[in-house]
Amino acid sequence: MTRESDSDDALSRTNRVLRTLRAGHRALLRAADEQALLQTMCRALVEEGGYRIAWIGYTEHDEAKTIRLAAHAGREKTLLRTARFSWDASRPSVTGEAIRTGAPSIGRRLRSDPLLTQWRADAARRGYGAVSAFPLRAGADVIGCLTLVAVDEDAFDAEEAHLLQELADDLGYGIEHHRMQARQVEAERTIERLAFRDPLTGLPNRASMREQIAAAIQAARERHHAVAVLSIHVGHFDEISDTLGHDAGDRLIAEVARRVAQATSSGAEGLARIGEDELTLLLPNADAEAASQVARHIARTLYPPVELDDVQVDARGTVGIALYPGHGDDADELMRRAKVAMYRAGSRGGHALYSGMLDDERRNRLSLLGDLRRAIDEDELLLYCQPKVEILTSRLCGAEALMRWRHPEQGMISPAVFVALAEHAGLITPLTHWVMEAAFRERHRWHQNAFEQPLAVNLSARDLHDPRLVDRVRGLMSTWGIEPGWMQFELTESALMEEPQTVIETLRRLRDLGIDLMVDDYGTGYSSLRYLQQMPVGMIKIDQSFVRRMLEDTDSAAIVRSTIELCHALKMGAIAEGVEDEPMWRALSLLGCDIAQGYHVGRPLPVGEFQAWANASPWSTGSATGRNPS
C-alpha cells in the first residue's frame, strides 16, 4: 500500500510539473517582456505546480554579491521583499550555491540541511519541507536562480528535478530572447535618434524638421492658413568654439536652444537644430506679423551674454523668416529662404522677412564668385598703384599695390565687394598669391628701369596664419631677385591681434627676409600697446575715417594727434591715409606726420602707367610744396 501511495505521489508531482511546463511554455510564447515572463512563470509554479513559494533572483556583481529579487509568487511575499540574499561563499545559502556552482541544488531539507538553519525555526509552522534552486543561464553565463519551496521533505525526486531544470533552461532562454529583443528595440531607437535627432540638444534634426514642415504645409493647404519657418543663427559660434574649445561651443548651442524654447509659447515643440550653428523654428499657424513678433522676442531673449568658463560671451543671434504660401510651398524651399533672410538679418537689427530680392542678390553673389575664381585662375585681375609722399620733403616715397577687377559684363567691381566675397568663400589666399606675384614681378621691372621705390602689399589675417607664407615670400624674392627694403607688407590692426604671439613670430621671419612691415587701418581695432611694441613694424597708417574728419571733429583730431605721438614714441613712422586736400596736408604737417597718402597726393593708377606718372610728377623732385600736382 505504501509503495502504491509513493508511486501515486510521484506521479502526481510529475503531472503537476508537466502542467507547470505547459504553463511555462505558454508564458514564454505570450509574455510581452522580461518582467511579465518572470512573474507569469512564478505564478504558474505556485498555482499549477503546487509549490509554496517560487521566486527568481538575478545576480549582481557588486561587492556584496547580491541576489536581487526579480519576481515571486506564493507565501512570504513580505519576507522575500525584505530579505537580503547573496551568492558570496562566506554567506552560504541554497540559492547562492546554485549560482556559484552553476549546478542545481536539489531537495534540500529544511529540518536538517545546514544551509537552511536560519529558516528552520519557522519551517514546520509554515509548512515548508524542502527547497531546490536551479541556475538560470543566458548563453554561457549564470545570470540568476529559480528557487522553489515545497511542503513535502521528499519533494524534488529525480524525474521532478529533471523537468524543473528543463523549465529553468527554457526560462533562461526566454530571458535571453527578451533581452535580445530589448537590445534590438534600443538599437532601433538609437538609429532613429541618430537619423532624426540632434545628439547634443536632443532636438529634431534637419531630416525631421523637413518632415514636420511638409506636414504643416499640407495641413495649412487644407485649412487655408499660413505657416512660418524661422531660421536662427547662433552668433559668434565659430569664434567661441575656436577660442574656448568645442565643448564651450556645444554648451553655447545648448543654452541658445533652451532660451529659444523659453521664448516660444509651445516650448521646444517645433524647434530643431539643422546645422552646427543654426536652429529652425516651425510656427504651424502664423502670419508675417505673428512670426516677426516671435522673432523679436527670440532676439531679446538671446541678447544677455552667456557665461562659459568664467567668460561672458555674446550669444546674440539673427532670425530669418519665410512663409507659406507667400515664399514657397515646399519644405526645402522655405528652409532655404528662411536661411537667406537670416543672413540678411545681420545688418537689419536682429530679424528679417524673406524677399525675392534677397535671392536675386545671392544669385548675383554666387555668379560673381564663379567669375572671381576664373579671374584669379586666368590672371584677369588688374594691379593698380597709389603713391605715398613724405610730408617734410614733398617727395615720392613709395606706393601701395591695389587690386582691381574689371568684370567683362559689370565693369569695374569695387574691391570692398570682391575682397569681402573672397574672404567669405575662402578665396582670400589665392587672391593674396595673385597680388604678391604681380607686385614682386612689377618691383623687378621697376628696378630694371632704375625706378627704385618700395611697393607695399596688403596681407589678411588668414595670410598671417598660413604656415606657407614665409616660404612663399622667400621663393618670390629669389625668383625676382628682390633686395631688402624693396617690398613692404601692410597688415590690418585687427589681423595683428588674432593670436598675437603667433603673428609676432611670423612678422619677425618676414622682417629677417628684408620685408618692411607696417600696421594698416590703425584705430579701427583694439591693439594692445604691449604687443604693438613687440611687433617688428616700422610704420603705422592712421585710418582714413579719422584723417578725413580731423578738421571738423575734435575727437578725430585728437586720435590723429595722439597716434602720431605714439608712433614717434615707439620710434615708428606715421602715415596718414585719406588725405584729400591741402588743408589736411598742412594740418598733418603741423602735427609732424611723416607720410601722406590719398587723392591729394595721387589717385590709384594702373601699374603700367605709374612710373611715367611718377617721373613727370612734381612729387618726384619735391617741388610740389604740398599742392596736388595732378
Side-chain angles (χ1 to χ4, degrees):
M1 189 70 182
T2 305
R3 287 181 181 178
E4 290 179 4
S5 177
D6 291 344
S7 177
D8 289 344
D9 289 344
L11 181 60
S12 176
R13 284 197 300 270
T14 300
N15 287 333
R16 285 201 310 273
V17 175
L18 288 173
R19 288 198 302 272
T20 304
L21 279 173
R22 285 195 296 271
H25 290 156
R26 285 197 300 272
L28 286 169
L29 292 172
R30 299 176 183 178
D33 55 39
E34 180 179 338
Q35 188 58 42
L37 171 62
L38 302 183
Q39 200 60 52
T40 303
M41 189 66 75
C42 288
R43 192 163 52 246
L45 285 162
V46 171
E47 294 173 0
E48 301 286 345
Y51 298 101
R52 290 287 191 183
I53 299 173
W55 69 278
I56 295 169
Y58 281 159
T59 57
E60 299 285 347
H61 294 277
D62 55 359
E63 187 176 352
K65 295 185 177 180
T66 303
I67 301 174
R68 175 173 58 83
L69 179 66
H72 58 87
R75 298 183 178 184
E76 309 300 343
K77 293 182 179 179
T78 303
L79 175 64
L80 287 171
R81 289 195 188 103
T82 57
R84 296 290 179 264
F85 301 101
S86 173
W87 54 282
D88 193 331
S90 64
R91 298 168 62 186
S93 67
V94 172
T95 303
E97 182 180 78
I99 290 174
R100 280 196 312 278
T101 63
S105 185
I106 305 296
R108 310 302 289 260
R109 296 184 175 185
L110 277 152
R111 294 181 183 178
S112 58
D113 198 305
L115 291 181
L116 299 170
T117 302
Q118 59 181 323
W119 311 105
R120 189 169 300 148
D122 292 332
R125 181 176 61 81
R126 296 177 185 274
Y128 301 157
V131 177
S132 289
F134 302 86
L136 298 176
R137 297 181 182 277
D141 298 325
V142 176
I143 61 169
C145 191
L146 167 64
T147 303
L148 301 173
V149 178
V151 175
D152 188 359
E153 280 193 339
D154 296 324
F156 306 111
D157 62 16
E159 181 66 20
E160 183 179 1
H162 173 74
L163 292 173
L164 288 170
Q165 182 58 59
E166 182 182 325
L167 180 63
D169 291 340
D170 289 344
L171 178 58
Y173 172 80
I175 292 170
E176 184 178 22
H177 176 70
H178 278 289
R179 290 184 177 182
M180 182 180 69
Q181 284 187 318
R183 287 193 296 269
Q184 184 176 350
V185 169
E186 182 57 33
E188 290 172 354
R189 288 174 179 169
T190 300
I191 292 171
E192 183 179 358
R193 284 196 299 271
L194 292 173
F196 295 103
R197 290 277 167 179
D198 170 51
L200 173 65
T201 62
L203 294 172
N205 61 11
R206 176 182 289 275
S208 179
M209 175 52 68
R210 186 186 292 114
E211 291 186 0
Q212 289 185 48
I213 295 173
I217 290 173
Q218 181 61 34
R221 188 179 287 119
E222 295 170 358
R223 298 169 188 169
H224 304 289
H225 60 67
V227 172
V229 175
L230 277 62
S231 186
I232 305 155
H233 180 256
V234 181
H236 307 293
F237 174 80
D238 288 336
E239 179 184 346
I240 289 166
S241 294
D242 291 344
T243 304
L244 300 179
H246 291 296
D247 180 63
D250 288 347
R251 281 182 281 136
L252 174 66
I253 286 289
E255 172 62 16
V256 169
R258 186 190 67 80
R259 290 189 186 184
V260 172
Q262 276 188 336
T264 62
S265 59
S266 57
E269 184 179 351
L271 182 64
R273 184 188 183 192
I274 68 166
E276 191 175 43
D277 58 356
E278 185 181 352
L279 305 176
T280 291
L281 179 64
L282 171 63
L283 302 177
N285 187 10
D287 58 13
E289 183 178 352
S292 296
Q293 184 176 352
V294 172
R296 282 191 291 271
H297 191 31
I298 290 172
R300 286 194 298 270
T301 303
L302 296 181
Y303 186 82
V306 175
E307 184 171 321
L308 299 172
D309 299 333
D310 297 324
V311 177
Q312 297 284 328
V313 299
D314 186 355
R316 280 179 290 182
T318 53
V319 185
I321 305 168
L323 297 161
Y324 165 84
H327 299 146
D329 59 0
D330 173 80
D332 288 324
E333 189 70 2
L334 285 183
M335 291 171 74
R336 186 186 69 79
R337 290 184 166 179
K339 188 170 184 176
V340 170
M342 176 190 76
Y343 283 121
R344 184 67 172 177
S347 59
R348 295 198 172 188
H351 76 279
L353 192 64
Y354 172 80
S355 163
M357 294 176 62
L358 300 179
D359 256 356
D360 293 339
E361 181 181 320
R362 283 177 65 84
R363 277 193 288 268
N364 183 54
R365 284 172 60 86
L366 286 174
S367 174
L368 207 59
L369 178 60
D371 293 340
L372 178 59
R373 290 179 186 273
R374 191 200 67 250
I376 295 172
D377 293 340
E378 299 182 12
D379 197 23
E380 294 178 357
L381 298 173
L382 305 173
L383 189 68
Y384 274 54
C385 291
Q386 185 171 26
K388 302 175 186 176
V389 168
E390 188 179 59
I391 293 178
L392 182 62
T393 63
S394 295
R395 293 184 67 91
L396 185 70
C397 62
E400 179 181 359
L402 302 170
M403 283 180 291
R404 294 293 184 265
W405 179 25
R406 183 179 287 109
H407 191 276
E409 297 174 359
Q410 301 183 36
M412 295 297 286
I413 304 293
S414 167
V417 172
F418 74 79
V419 171
L421 190 65
E423 288 179 338
H424 181 73
L427 284 178
I428 196 66
T429 298
L431 207 60
T432 301
H433 290 173
W434 182 91
V435 73
M436 283 203 302
E437 177 72 32
F440 276 71
R441 183 174 61 241
E442 184 61 26
R443 185 60 186 85
H444 168 70
R445 192 175 68 83
W446 284 1
H447 175 66
Q448 287 184 316
N449 296 334
F451 183 65
E452 304 294 356
Q453 292 288 346
L455 183 58
V457 175
N458 290 280
L459 296 185
S460 70
R462 185 170 297 182
D463 296 325
L464 289 177
H465 291 89
D466 183 353
R468 296 167 295 182
L469 173 65
V470 176
D471 288 338
R472 184 170 187 82
V473 172
R474 184 185 291 110
L476 287 170
M477 293 184 72
S478 298
T479 300
W480 297 107
I482 301 299
E483 297 292 335
W486 287 12
M487 299 299 299
Q488 300 171 333
F489 284 164
E490 298 188 7
L491 317 124
T492 59
E493 181 184 13
S494 56
L496 294 176
M497 289 303 106
E498 290 187 18
E499 299 183 34
Q501 290 294 356
T502 302
V503 168
I504 289 171
E505 177 58 30
T506 300
L507 295 183
R508 285 174 178 166
R509 294 174 65 195
L510 290 172
R511 178 202 59 191
D512 292 343
L513 292 178
I515 303 293
D516 292 332
L517 305 168
M518 62 185 70
V519 179
D520 194 11
D521 298 336
Y522 185 81
T524 59
Y526 303 94
S527 295
S528 162
L529 292 180
R530 177 170 67 89
Y531 284 129
L532 195 61
Q533 189 177 25
Q534 294 176 10
M535 289 179 179
V537 296
M539 291 190 177
I540 290 178
K541 293 183 75 172
I542 309 168
D543 188 70
Q544 58 184 330
S545 61
F546 303 114
V547 174
R548 286 175 175 170
R549 297 199 306 266
M550 63 180 291
L551 297 182
E552 62 270 3
D553 179 55
T554 55
D555 290 339
S556 295
I559 290 173
V560 172
R561 181 177 63 254
S562 61
T563 303
I564 293 171
E565 292 172 353
L566 173 65
C567 289
H568 294 162
L570 295 175
K571 296 183 171 51
M572 298 179 185
I575 303 176
E577 53 182 357
V579 181
E580 305 299 314
D581 52 38
E582 190 173 346
M584 281 187 202
W585 172 283
R586 287 203 214 93
L588 291 165
S589 178
L590 290 173
L591 292 174
C593 188
D594 301 291
I595 295 172
Q597 180 180 351
Y599 283 6
H600 179 69
V601 172
R603 294 174 178 270
L605 293 167
V607 68
E609 302 173 14
F610 184 74
Q611 185 178 344
W613 173 87
N615 289 337
S617 169
W619 298 122
S620 64
T621 60
S623 58
T625 63
R627 298 181 182 277
N628 190 337
S630 301

